[in-house]
């Protein structure tokens, strides 16, 4: 989309930049020389803007703890909630599998249809919520039995997924 449709990339990061890199096993101090971060850095450099989500579910120090996976999952869910509430249209690239945890693709797509839980909502003071609408869902793997469709991510498993601690 960036190359063919002159789209602009907006990048909300669920964690501070350094912690986000660490979540992929990339040391922020070595980030420039680590080839695993090359694509991320290249895309971030092409972004019209990028910003970090507020630390609503932990401090920098607590989120940096390797044992804080649950706190980081809440931050990822917060990022998904921001995207859901600020998008005119939402297109999810999903493998059709039931969500494995908090903030996964299925859960975020479901929030678009059914609303974001209170723990992840943002004030609409400056940006009005776009409301609920079924997202477009595109299969993650070409040739799979799962076909593009409007909506349908919400299943009983998605509705029962945890939304807060």
């Amino acid at each position: 989309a960036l190359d063919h449709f002159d789209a602009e990339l907006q990048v909300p990061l669920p964690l501070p930049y350094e912690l986000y890199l660490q979540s992929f096993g990339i040391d922020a101090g070595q980030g420039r020389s680590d080839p695993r971060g090359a694509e991320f850095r290249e895309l971030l450099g092409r972004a019209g803007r990028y910003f970090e989500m507020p630390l609503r579910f932990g401090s920098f120090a607590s989120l940096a703890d390797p044992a804080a996976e649950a706190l980081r999952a809440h931050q990822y869910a917060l990022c998904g909630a921001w995207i859901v509430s600020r998008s005119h249209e939402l297109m999810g690239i999903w493998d059709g599998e039931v969500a494995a945890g908090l903030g996964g693709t299925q859960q975020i797509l479901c929030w678009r249809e059914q609303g974001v839980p209170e723990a992840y909502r943002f004030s609409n003071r400056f940006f009005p919520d776009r409301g609920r609408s079924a997202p477009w869902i595109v299969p993650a793997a070409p040739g799979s039995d799962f076909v593009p469709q409007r909506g349908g991510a919400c299943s009983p498993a998605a509705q029962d997924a945890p939304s807060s601690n």
Side-chain angles (χ1 to χ4, degrees):
L2 291 173
D3 296 331
H4 299 289
F5 301 112
D6 199 29
E8 183 175 303
L9 185 60
Q10 305 287 317
V11 183
L13 295 176
L15 299 166
Y17 179 84
E18 298 84 7
L19 293 181
Y20 190 71
L21 284 176
Q22 288 173 6
S23 69
F24 294 99
I26 301 168
D27 181 281
Q30 304 292 325
R32 295 220 178 269
S33 61
D34 190 323
R36 294 174 297 166
E39 182 180 21
F40 172 72
R41 289 188 309 277
E42 190 266 330
L43 286 170
L44 200 61
R46 293 179 67 184
R49 72 180 177 132
Y50 82 90
F51 55 96
E52 300 167 354
M53 288 285 110
L55 298 180
R56 190 180 288 180
F57 297 101
S59 66
F60 187 97
S62 64
L63 289 164
D65 183 344
E69 189 174 321
L71 292 177
R72 289 190 297 274
H74 283 286
Q75 284 295 132
Y76 276 82
L78 182 66
C79 190
W82 188 91
I83 292 168
V84 162
S85 63
R86 300 300 185 256
S87 299
H88 291 273
E89 284 286 344
L90 182 65
M91 179 183 294
I93 300 174
W94 181 40
D95 61 10
E97 298 292 324
V98 175
L102 180 64
T105 303
Q106 180 194 22
Q107 189 174 46
I108 301 306
L109 293 170
C110 191
W111 287 356
R112 179 59 181 224
E113 290 185 59
Q114 297 184 342
V116 174
E118 186 64 36
Y120 302 101
R121 288 189 191 148
F122 287 87
S123 165
N124 292 329
R125 184 171 159 200
F126 297 109
F127 303 101
D129 192 315
R130 298 292 177 196
R132 298 178 188 177
S133 65
W136 283 99
I137 302 171
V138 177
S144 71
D145 292 339
F146 184 64
V147 295
Q149 60 189 3
R150 180 105 170 156
C154 297
S155 69
Q159 294 170 12
D160 294 337
S163 60
S164 65
N165 268 348

